Amino acid sequence: MRVDAGLRDGVAALAQQAAQKILAVYADAFDVTRKDDASPLTEADLASHRCIVEGLAALTPDIPVLSEESPDAHKAQRGDWQRLWLVDPLDGTREFVKRNGEFCICIALIEGDAAVFGLVQQPVSGLLWHGAPGQGAWRRENGIDVPLHYRRGDGPLRVAASRSHRDARTQALIDRIGDVETVPCGSALKFCKIAEGAIDLYPRFGPTSEWDTAAGQAIVEGVGGAVVDPQGRSLRYNRRDTLLNGDFMAMGNPALPWRDWLE
């Protein structure tokens, strides 16, 4: 299924509505609870979830929606779906709680086992990124879409360093690369920075969920980049019993010698 301009803009409008609901919570004091996996949850997550799920159901009633905040019973039905919307209504809740602005909304369309369209909205800046493999990727600012390209220049490799998930394996990889400029960044915004050329490489060791990566992968692949596991296979979606991803490397230039940097 190709996402046409009408559907794309409808999804973008939903993301912007959800962003306003997130910012309404962000502007005031808010409570933080913990889910079963100990990850944080706020009213902003839930308000965004409701806005997006209801809106997508109205836009595309024939396509089911799977959100991070969907009930477990709903998640159990996903094995029968050949097409679905995969949503993280507030990616980077830890960054939201820290109030550093590095959180976003992620919406991806999954066809079979591939992310065929992705959209990421940053509430604080108002910036929005969207893209699709083989079709390009863009950053939307003040209603204007600017086409994106990964960085092809020389100089130190720019490597994303997560604000909340930096670990010893990531540091060891950075040390092996050598000439590196680390770029601190939270949430799926790292994928967007790869697509616009601000970051070259995002290594991730340790679990993420499928809704954390699908939208960003579609955007990175839109500029010709890649998001691959240690065997070089593109990340795939909704085909396993678990919704957790394994280790991966996201990069703008797929010709980078990333295998040489792995242990």
Side-chain angles (χ1 to χ4, degrees):
M1 175 181 176
R2 187 183 180 97
V3 173
D4 62 23
L7 180 55
R8 178 199 65 209
D9 290 345
V11 176
L14 275 179
Q16 290 160 350
Q17 291 169 24
Q20 293 307 307
K21 293 184 180 298
I22 288 171
L23 290 175
V25 177
Y26 194 60
D28 206 347
F30 53 83
D31 294 327
V32 181
T33 59
R34 296 285 168 177
K35 294 188 280 189
D36 291 343
D37 63 358
S39 61
L41 178 70
T42 71
E43 177 53 36
D45 298 78
L46 299 175
S48 177
H49 162 80
R50 290 189 292 265
C51 176
I52 295 169
V53 170
E54 292 170 6
L56 288 175
L59 275 176
T60 54
D62 58 329
I63 303 178
V65 182
L66 181 65
S67 164
E68 178 176 7
E69 308 311 334
S70 294
D72 289 342
H74 187 62
K75 293 174 183 176
Q77 302 170 12
R78 65 187 176 84
D80 298 328
W81 301 341
Q82 294 303 307
R83 180 187 299 156
L84 70 148
W85 292 105
L86 191 56
V87 175
D88 192 335
L90 204 173
D91 184 52
T93 303
R94 290 180 177 86
E95 316 308 328
F96 179 87
V97 172
K98 294 175 186 176
R99 295 183 184 274
N100 66 17
E102 292 184 351
F103 51 88
C104 58
I105 294 162
C106 300
I107 304 174
L109 181 63
I110 307 302
E111 186 88 39
D113 62 1
V116 298
F117 168 77
L119 181 147
V120 174
Q121 166 85 52
Q122 185 180 26
V124 168
S125 69
L127 293 174
L128 182 149
W129 297 261
H130 62 89
Q135 299 176 39
W138 295 263
R139 181 182 66 243
R140 180 173 296 185
E141 186 172 4
N142 298 322
I144 299 173
D145 280 346
V146 177
L148 303 180
H149 308 279
Y150 68 80
R151 190 172 78 116
R152 294 172 171 83
D154 297 325
L157 198 73
R158 298 173 183 170
V159 180
S162 175
R163 292 196 186 278
S164 297
H165 300 284
R166 187 79 167 266
D167 57 40
R169 293 176 67 194
T170 302
Q171 187 59 54
L173 180 140
I174 289 172
D175 293 342
R176 283 192 293 275
I177 295 172
D179 191 13
V180 164
E181 177 185 345
T182 58
V183 182
C185 185
S187 76
L189 294 171
K190 293 183 280 291
F191 295 102
C192 302
K193 290 184 178 295
I194 288 174
E196 63 186 23
I199 290 173
D200 300 306
L201 181 71
Y202 166 32
R204 179 58 191 262
F205 302 110
T208 55
S209 294
E210 292 188 358
W211 43 69
D212 296 322
T213 59
Q217 180 172 350
I219 293 168
V220 168
E221 291 183 351
V223 299
V227 182
V228 297
D229 68 16
Q231 288 73 47
R233 301 170 299 198
S234 294
L235 294 192
R236 296 300 176 185
Y237 296 92
N238 199 40
R239 284 296 174 265
R240 297 170 298 137
D241 291 339
T242 179
L243 282 161
L244 294 178
N245 299 312
D247 300 343
F248 65 83
M249 303 280 279
M251 66 203 85
N253 182 359
L256 288 175
W258 58 272
R259 295 176 190 271
D260 297 341
W261 302 326
L262 293 176
E263 293 178 321

